[in-house]
């Protein structure tokens, strides 16, 4: 259970933290049993739940997605999420991450290994890129507000 203090800390790290701080926070999310290592099962389950959540958000906001992105791009996003939600695709994503991140090939990713992976692949902390979605599917209003807020 997340208390208010943890929520504020997490929000602060996400908004203003260094890449390493963000990686450590994300590691804690992936390490669902809090044993200090991410297993393939934990990563698989986290990715699967993330995609499932993205599909729910997309489904609940279909009309807005179509208005913001256009019907064709909204349809492309649906197809991408449908493809990514297949267990075999998620397993491939997990295997690719482990192939690079599990430096000692022991079947688990440590916090240091995860931070090293994120330093090589900072885009892996962005939910959309984690799902292998095309950034052109992101509504222009989100893209422009993100870039204008990051430049201030």
């Amino acid at each position: 259970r997340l208390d208010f203090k943890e929520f504020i800390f997490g929000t602060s790290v996400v908004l203003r933290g260094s890449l390493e701080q963000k990686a450590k926070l994300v590691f804690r999310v992936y390490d669902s049993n809090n044993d200090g290592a991410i297993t393939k099962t934990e990563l698989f389950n986290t990715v699967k739940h993330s995609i499932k959540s993205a599909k729910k958000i997309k489904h609940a906001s279909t009309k807005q997605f179509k208005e913001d992105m256009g019907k064709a791009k909204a349809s492309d996003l649906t197809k991408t999420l449908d493809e990514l939600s297949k267990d075999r695709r998620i397993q491939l994503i997990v295997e690719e991450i482990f192939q690079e991140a599990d430096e000692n090939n022991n079947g688990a990713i440590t916090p240091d290994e995860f931070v090293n992976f994120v330093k090589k692949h900072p885009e892996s902390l962005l939910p959309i890129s984690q799902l292998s979605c095309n950034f052109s599917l992101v509504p222009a209003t989100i893209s422009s507000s993100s870039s204008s807020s990051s430049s201030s």
Side-chain angles (χ1 to χ4, degrees):
R1 187 158 214 202
L2 183 70
D3 67 24
F4 185 70
K5 186 177 176 181
E6 290 172 319
F7 173 76
I8 294 300
F9 173 75
T11 302
S12 175
V13 169
V14 168
L15 295 175
R16 297 196 172 118
S18 68
L19 186 65
E20 186 169 339
Q21 289 171 319
K22 291 175 185 179
K24 288 178 179 179
L25 181 67
V26 170
F27 179 90
R28 289 176 52 198
V29 171
Y30 289 170
D31 181 19
S32 59
N33 65 0
N34 299 314
D35 68 351
I38 302 170
T39 64
K40 288 181 181 182
T41 300
E42 287 173 311
L43 186 57
F44 179 90
N45 290 335
T46 303
V47 170
K48 185 172 181 132
H49 290 302
S50 297
I51 294 169
K52 189 176 183 179
S53 295
K55 285 178 74 171
K56 284 182 180 180
I57 291 167
K58 163 62 174 79
H59 180 71
S61 307
T62 299
K63 182 179 177 187
Q64 191 64 46
F65 272 95
K66 286 179 182 176
E67 288 175 14
D68 290 345
M69 301 164 63
K71 192 173 184 177
K73 286 185 179 181
S75 178
D76 288 346
L77 178 59
T78 299
K79 290 174 187 172
T80 299
L81 291 172
D82 286 344
E83 176 60 29
L84 288 172
S85 65
K86 295 177 182 174
D87 284 357
R88 64 179 167 70
R89 180 64 180 129
I90 296 170
Q91 194 60 46
L92 287 173
I93 293 168
V94 168
E95 292 298 330
E96 288 175 21
I97 292 170
F98 262 78
Q99 195 169 44
E100 186 167 347
D102 184 12
E103 296 168 3
N104 61 5
N105 296 313
N106 69 345
I109 299 171
T110 65
D112 289 339
E113 288 173 329
F114 189 73
V115 169
N116 291 340
F117 175 78
V118 169
K119 285 179 179 177
K120 292 179 199 169
H121 303 281
E123 72 281 0
S124 66
L125 292 183
L126 300 172
I128 292 175
S129 67
Q130 284 178 327
L131 300 176
S132 303
C133 291
N134 183 336
F135 278 108
S136 66
L137 298 177
V138 178
T141 53
I142 294 174
S143 299
S144 61
S145 67
S146 297
S147 48
S148 63
S149 63
S150 62
S151 61
S152 37

